[in-house]
Amino acid sequence: MSFSSHVKDELAGTCGSARHCQIAELAAMFCMDGHIQTAADGRSQAVLHTENLAVARKCFTLLKKTFNINTEILVRRSMVPAKGGLYILAVPKQLDVERMMNAMRLTCLTKSGECIPGKLILQNDCCRRAFLRGAYLAAGSMSNPEKGYHFEIACSGPEKAGQLQEVLASFGVDARIILRKKYHVLYVKEGDQIVDILNIMAAHISLLELENIRILKGVREAVNRQVNCETANISKTTSAARGQINDIQLIQQRMGLENLPPLLREMAEARLNWPDVSLKELGSLLDPPVGKSGVNHRLRKLKELADSLRVIEEDVSC
C-alpha cells in the first residue's frame, strides 16, 4: 500500500463528532467527486464517483448520519483487475438533494452540475479541518516520503483550488496552484508544511510515520555529508603527500638529502618514512614536535628547492 493510500485509510476512519463538521467534510467530498444531475422529467439527483472503497463507505456513512439519507450504490468493475472498480453513490430524491444543497450552501458553477460550498460552512477551524480532510479523501495524493515530499489535491476548476488555498492559508500553510492538463492542482512540497497538513487533517499516525522517515533521512544525509567530507580530505591529503614525496625524491637524486639544512633534512626523511599521515600528525612525529604551520613552511621550502632543480634540469636539456 502506498503512503498516500495509508493516509486515506486513516482519514476514512476519522470523523468529526459535530454535525457541522460532518457536513463540511461531506461538502468537500461532494464538490471534488460529485455533481448534480437533472433527469429528463426535470428532477435533480446528486451523484458522487470514487475509486476508493473507504471513501465510498465514509460518504455513505456521513449521508446517513447528517441527513438520514439511504444512498443508492452502484459498483462498476474495471476490465483491468489491478485498477479495482468505480463506486457510484446516488441520492435520487430531489427533496433530499435540496436538503443537502441547503445544508452545504452549495452553488452550482457550471451546467455540468459541479458545485462549490459557501463560506458559511467554513467559519470554524474544526469545519475547515474537516473540509480539508474530505477534499484530500476525494481528490488528494501524496508521494512516498522516502523519495520526496509532495502533497496535492486535483481540482476541476480554479474556484475550488482557490477555496482550498484559502483554507490552508488560514492555518499558515502556503500552497501553490498549477494548471495540469484540465485540472487546477493545489500542491505543497515543503516537508514541514506537509507535516502541518497531516496534523490539520488529524492523520496523526501517518504524521508520526512521516516524521520517523524524515528523521532517518536526516541522519543518513548527515552521515553521507560527513563521509564525503572525510573522503575529500583524505584524497586531498594523499594527493598533496604524493607531490611532496616526488619533490623530496627529486632532491635526493640530484643533490642528496644529507646536503640539506638539518631542519629540512629531518622533514624530508619524516615525509618519506610516513607518506600517508596528515601535516599535523607529521609534525607530532618530529623531535621536537612542530605545529602544522611549521610543517607546511618546511615542505614549502622543499618544494621551492625541487622546482629550482627542475628549472636547472630544463635549462641543461635545452
Side-chain angles (χ1 to χ4, degrees), residues 224-245:
N224 287 337
R225 282 195 299 269
Q226 184 67 27
V227 169
N228 291 338
C229 182
E230 291 180 358
T231 301
N233 287 338
I234 291 172
S235 177
K236 184 179 178 181
T237 299
T238 303
S239 178
R242 190 181 303 113
Q244 294 160 4
I245 291 173

Side-chain angles (χ1 to χ4, degrees), residues 299-318:
L299 289 172
R300 191 166 57 249
K301 289 291 186 181
L302 290 171
K303 178 176 175 52
E304 291 173 358
L305 178 57
D307 289 341
S308 65
L309 292 175
R310 291 189 182 98
V311 172
I312 295 172
E313 189 178 58
E314 289 175 0
D315 291 340
V316 171
S317 62
C318 291

Side-chain angles (χ1 to χ4, degrees), residues 32 132 135-141 151-155 161 164 168 184-187 201:
M32 293 296 158
L132 183 61
Y136 179 78
L137 278 170
S141 64
F151 170 96
E152 71 174 42
I153 298 176
C155 305
L164 281 172
L168 284 171
H184 289 76
V185 180
L186 174 134
Y187 70 93
M201 297 190 301

Side-chain angles (χ1 to χ4, degrees), residues 77 180 204 257:
R77 296 296 179 186
R180 184 191 299 159
H204 301 304
L257 298 183

Side-chain angles (χ1 to χ4, degrees), residues 152 154-158 177-185:
E152 71 174 42
C155 305
S156 59
I177 298 174
I178 187 174
L179 184 62
R180 184 191 299 159
K181 296 182 179 179
K182 63 179 182 178
Y183 293 100
H184 289 76
V185 180

Side-chain angles (χ1 to χ4, degrees), residues 22-162:
Q22 295 171 1
I23 290 175
E25 185 170 358
L26 186 59
M29 297 170 71
F30 183 79
C31 289
M32 293 296 158
D33 279 347
H35 62 280
I36 303 295
Q37 285 183 348
T38 302
D41 58 3
R43 291 184 301 172
S44 298
Q45 68 171 350
V47 180
L48 184 142
H49 300 78
T50 178
E51 295 179 356
N52 191 312
L53 178 59
V55 174
R57 286 174 176 169
K58 186 165 192 181
C59 186
F60 179 88
T61 302
L62 289 175
L63 283 169
K64 185 66 177 178
K65 279 186 175 182
T66 55
F67 300 107
N68 196 27
I69 295 175
N70 290 316
T71 311
E72 295 179 358
I73 301 179
L74 175 65
V75 180
R76 290 181 180 174
R77 296 296 179 186
S78 173
M79 298 298 292
V80 182
K83 290 188 176 181
L86 177 66
Y87 304 91
I88 304 173
L89 286 78
V91 180
K93 295 182 180 180
Q94 182 161 338
L95 182 60
D96 291 337
V97 174
E98 291 174 354
R99 287 196 296 128
M100 283 176 51
M101 293 188 68
N102 290 334
M104 298 177 189
R105 304 296 194 272
L106 294 179
T107 301
C108 286
L109 298 175
T110 64
K111 293 182 179 179
S112 64
E114 291 189 358
C115 301
I116 189 170
K119 293 184 178 180
L120 190 61
I121 68 168
L122 299 175
Q123 287 184 330
N124 301 324
D125 277 359
C126 57
C127 293
R128 289 195 293 272
R129 293 174 186 272
F131 185 81
L132 183 61
R133 183 165 59 243
Y136 179 78
L137 278 170
S141 64
M142 283 184 63
S143 63
N144 183 351
E146 290 278 5
K147 299 178 180 178
Y149 305 119
H150 184 87
F151 170 96
E152 71 174 42
I153 298 176
C155 305
S156 59
E159 298 88 355
K160 297 178 183 180

